[in-house]
Amino acid sequence: MTAGGRCPAFGSGSAGVARVSSARGCRSAMAAPRENVSLLFKLYCLAVMTLVAAAYTIALRYTRTTDTELYFSTTAVCITEVIKLLLSVGLLAKETGSLGKFKASLSENVLGSPKELMKLSVPSLVYAVQNNMAFLALSNLDAAVYQVTYQLKIPCTALCTVLMLNRTLSKLQWISVFMLCGGVTLVQWKPAQATKVVVEQNPLLGFGAIAIAVLCSGFAGVYFEKVLKSSDTSLWVRNIQMYLSGIIVTLVGAYLSDGAEIKDKGFFYGYTYYVWFVIFLASVGGLYTSVVVKYTDNIMKGFSAAAAIVLSTIASVILFGLQITLTFALGTLLVCVSIYLYGLPRQDTTSIQQGEPASKERIIGV
């Protein structure tokens, strides 16, 4: 997802659609920030993104399978939205540079834009469902199995991109999508078992939760990108609009789902340092993705996803006694390769072929 003011013809790390007449100019604008960033900074972004993704799944899995009093996942999702809102407000203040501009931006784009708040309530609701499904999935599936299966968000996002943004995928990307689905099927064929987890689990329920989560992830991500491209409004303003709606949605959801128990036991019942660590990772990870998207490319993000899967698998073996099967290993390998292939740059088709009339307008997928 991109901040306002960037070239509207291109997505953040995903496929974009542009006219040939302006494609080169947009590519130059997009390339500029990355040329000014050192390889060391890119590697730093890659390392942090990988560690956050792996640590989040492992920590969340741990908090849902320990013998301690189980906390309400719905309240954790709500607190995450509050922290994201506070962080976005701080980043907007830094972006505007002065208190006057900051107040004017909030007054114009948040307090004075009820329609925009309603528009952003759609992804807020969908993300709330997605985040709650993540807790349900990791209560019933090992972190490594979850991490691999959750990569189904790639084909789901690709499909939403084609349908909602009228973009195209290359043949290699379609091949990688089917390869990824095949890899996930292998992983789920005979799921690896965690021998050190004593709580009762329902793998079918866990897979169903992931299925809902990836559908939510694909739709909400593309919807939010479409909203970002509809105006030059700052990314942090859009985040504030979305998180305000998100707090209301998740708070209502918490009391509809666990209202009676929350009143009886308290909003923060069962919270430990590990739970707060999960909330911290979820909050920072979501915002940090914006930085990663801006300064890295699809190949680096693909490596990050594959590395997170490997780290999650190693941690699951050590912490949860995960027994790796042959089908799990083959499926995981297939998923990692497909992620890499999906992120490969497409062939540059922005130049008009010889013999083709210069005046002919063509829509191209980048």
Side-chain angles (χ1 to χ4, degrees), residues 85-298:
L85 174 64
L86 295 176
L87 290 173
S88 294
V89 168
L91 290 166
L92 178 63
K94 182 180 179 182
E95 182 181 77
T96 52
S98 69
L99 184 60
K101 290 181 180 179
F102 172 66
K103 288 182 177 178
S105 181
L106 285 180
S107 176
E108 178 185 354
N109 296 300
V110 180
L111 300 177
S113 302
K115 288 184 179 180
E116 295 301 310
L117 287 174
M118 288 297 295
K119 188 188 297 184
L120 269 298
S121 66
V122 175
S124 295
L125 175 60
V126 178
Y127 276 131
V129 174
Q130 175 196 332
N131 292 331
N132 278 288
M133 287 301 104
F135 279 88
L136 180 60
L138 281 164
S139 298
N140 292 279
L141 292 174
D142 185 79
V145 176
Y146 169 87
Q147 192 77 277
V148 174
T149 309
Y150 190 62
Q151 300 310 314
L152 284 172
K153 66 182 180 180
I154 294 176
C156 184
T157 302
L159 183 61
C160 289
T161 298
V162 171
L163 295 177
M164 296 171 63
L165 299 180
N166 297 318
R167 293 177 180 169
T168 60
L169 299 181
S170 68
K171 290 181 179 178
L172 183 61
Q173 284 178 315
W174 281 117
I175 291 171
S176 66
V177 164
F178 287 111
M179 186 186 298
L180 188 146
C181 293
V184 171
T185 301
L186 283 175
V187 168
Q188 291 294 332
W189 188 258
K190 287 184 179 180
Q193 298 296 322
T195 58
K196 294 182 181 179
V197 175
V198 295
V199 297
E200 186 178 348
Q201 298 178 101
N202 186 338
L204 188 60
L205 178 61
F207 181 75
I210 291 183
I212 296 173
V214 298
L215 289 173
C216 291
S217 175
F219 172 77
V222 175
Y223 181 96
F224 189 57
E225 182 180 353
K226 192 171 184 177
V227 171
L228 282 177
K229 290 176 182 296
S230 66
S231 69
D232 291 333
T233 306
S234 166
L235 171 64
W236 306 121
V237 168
R238 289 301 191 189
N239 278 340
I240 290 171
Q241 292 170 339
M242 185 166 67
Y243 297 143
L244 278 172
S245 301
I247 292 171
I248 298 172
V249 167
T250 54
L251 194 58
V252 170
Y255 279 96
L256 286 177
S257 178
D258 304 305
E261 290 187 90
I262 290 175
K263 289 179 181 178
D264 181 44
K265 298 179 179 179
F267 194 86
F268 298 102
Y269 174 78
Y271 274 52
T272 64
Y273 290 116
Y274 293 111
V275 176
W276 283 110
F277 182 58
V278 168
I279 292 173
F280 168 78
L281 290 175
S283 305
V284 175
L287 294 175
Y288 195 84
T289 301
S290 303
V291 179
V292 173
V293 162
K294 185 174 182 180
Y295 292 111
T296 64
D297 53 34
N298 275 345

Side-chain angles (χ1 to χ4, degrees), residues 51-66:
L51 291 174
V52 168
Y56 173 72
T57 54
I58 292 295
L60 200 162
R61 170 67 172 173
Y62 177 78
T63 62
R64 302 304 289 179
T65 56
T66 56

Side-chain angles (χ1 to χ4, degrees), residues 302-326:
F303 275 122
S304 174
I309 290 173
V310 173
L311 288 177
S312 296
T313 302
I314 294 172
S316 292
V317 171
I318 297 172
L319 297 175
F320 307 118
L322 182 69
Q323 295 180 337
I324 298 177
T325 62
L326 180 60

Side-chain angles (χ1 to χ4, degrees), residues 324-343:
I324 298 177
T325 62
L326 180 60
T327 54
F328 176 84
L330 290 175
T332 301
L333 178 62
L334 205 57
V335 167
C336 291
V337 172
S338 67
I339 293 172
Y340 171 74
L341 293 177
Y342 187 87

